[in-house]
Amino acid sequence: MDKFITIKENVQTEIIVKKSRFICNLIKVETQKEAEDIIKQIKKKYYDARHNCVAYRIIEDEKIVEKASDDGEPSGTAGGPMLNILKKNDICNIIVIVTRYFGGILLGTGGLVRAYSEAIMEAINISEKIEKCIGYEAEVEIDYNNLEIFKYYCKINNIFIKNLEYSNIIICKIQLEEGIKKRLLEDYTTKKVNLINLKILSKKLINKSIIK
């Protein structure tokens, strides 16, 4: 997968459907083990709830790992619909757990699908989303006189400055997309951008843009 959507911060929302409470936790994860640990934590936190339904999609070892659980609800009414919403929205490295406190009124299979779908969509809609893509991390050495000029160069070329280390020179860790990497290398070679040194470190997933 060359790009996908994830969230900037964890989100919790709650809806009431015919007296049943649906508490949705939308949580960032990086590994399947982390997701499974979170499931245990949520089930422990909401130990008195009737159901803790789960869906997640995680990129691990360059493959997408998926899971859906109805946790006692009728088959296909909770985890599956939530997973489908993650897929349709190209969302990865996310686990969603919807906890249901039964309100005494049966919703039927169609009502359950709608309720669990509404719960996850409520959380997705209010979350701040990040588009991630395959890019590069690089290290730049620069003198103090050129720092502000380089910051402006990064701003207009969508280069993300990850961190700065200050000593006798400044060392910048940056992240950038493939096309921008080619432009930076060319500008470095032709001295259009004044750097002491530029080193491409690794290919990796990087933040591409913020989606409100």
Side-chain angles (χ1 to χ4, degrees):
M1 178 178 280
D2 292 334
K3 62 180 181 178
F4 64 90
I5 306 296
T6 190
I7 58 173
K8 186 177 180 180
E9 301 291 344
N10 298 341
V11 171
Q12 183 183 92
T13 58
E14 180 177 330
I15 63 171
I16 306 293
V17 180
K18 293 184 178 179
K19 298 185 179 180
S20 283
R21 293 174 62 203
F22 293 84
I23 303 168
C24 179
N25 281 281
L26 200 63
I27 300 171
K28 300 180 296 180
V29 289
E30 297 294 331
T31 66
Q32 189 175 12
K33 182 183 183 304
E34 184 182 356
E36 294 295 335
D37 288 343
I38 288 170
I39 293 170
K40 292 175 185 176
Q41 293 168 17
I42 293 292
K43 286 188 173 183
K44 185 176 180 180
K45 180 179 180 179
Y46 299 108
Y47 68 92
D48 56 341
R50 181 73 65 92
H51 308 283
N52 287 285
C53 302
V54 173
Y56 64 65
R57 299 182 80 217
I58 301 164
I59 296 178
E60 200 165 28
D61 298 325
E62 300 183 357
K63 296 179 181 178
I64 299 177
V65 180
E66 297 179 339
K67 179 177 180 176
S69 169
D70 296 311
D71 194 36
E73 293 282 29
S75 179
T77 61
M82 293 193 301
L83 181 59
N84 286 336
I85 288 172
L86 295 181
K87 288 180 179 179
K88 288 178 181 177
N89 288 276
D90 293 323
I91 294 174
C92 271
N93 286 10
I94 290 292
I95 179 170
V96 57
I97 304 175
V98 177
T99 300
R100 182 189 181 194
Y101 284 91
F102 183 54
I105 300 173
L106 296 174
L107 301 182
T109 56
L112 286 170
V113 170
R114 286 190 295 273
Y116 280 100
S117 297
E118 182 183 344
I120 181 176
M121 286 306 303
E122 175 84 6
I124 289 172
N125 288 338
I126 71 167
S127 67
E128 188 172 23
K129 291 166 280 292
I130 299 171
E131 184 177 10
K132 286 185 172 283
C133 67
I134 298 295
Y136 292 87
E137 189 162 272
E139 185 176 273
V140 169
E141 294 178 3
I142 188 169
D143 63 43
Y144 282 80
N145 291 336
N146 289 306
L147 177 59
E148 293 306 316
I149 296 171
F150 181 64
K151 282 183 177 179
Y152 179 72
Y153 178 90
C154 290
K155 182 178 179 180
I156 63 175
N157 286 285
N158 295 316
I159 297 171
F160 174 65
I161 298 177
K162 188 177 179 182
N163 70 285
L164 299 168
E165 294 179 14
Y166 298 91
S167 57
N168 59 319
I169 59 171
I170 300 170
I171 300 174
C172 304
K173 286 281 181 64
I174 59 173
Q175 293 182 346
L176 63 169
E177 296 175 55
E178 173 69 42
I180 299 168
K181 183 197 80 168
K182 294 177 181 177
R183 184 186 310 159
L184 177 60
L185 287 169
E186 183 179 325
D187 289 346
Y188 170 62
T189 302
T190 60
K191 302 297 182 182
K192 287 183 180 179
V193 58
N194 195 358
L195 307 175
I196 298 170
N197 192 35
L198 168 63
K199 185 192 302 180
I200 304 298
L201 300 177
S202 61
K203 193 172 185 178
K204 63 184 297 182
L205 282 169
I206 65 169
N207 292 350
K208 182 178 181 181
S209 60
I210 302 295
I211 305 168
K212 299 296 184 180

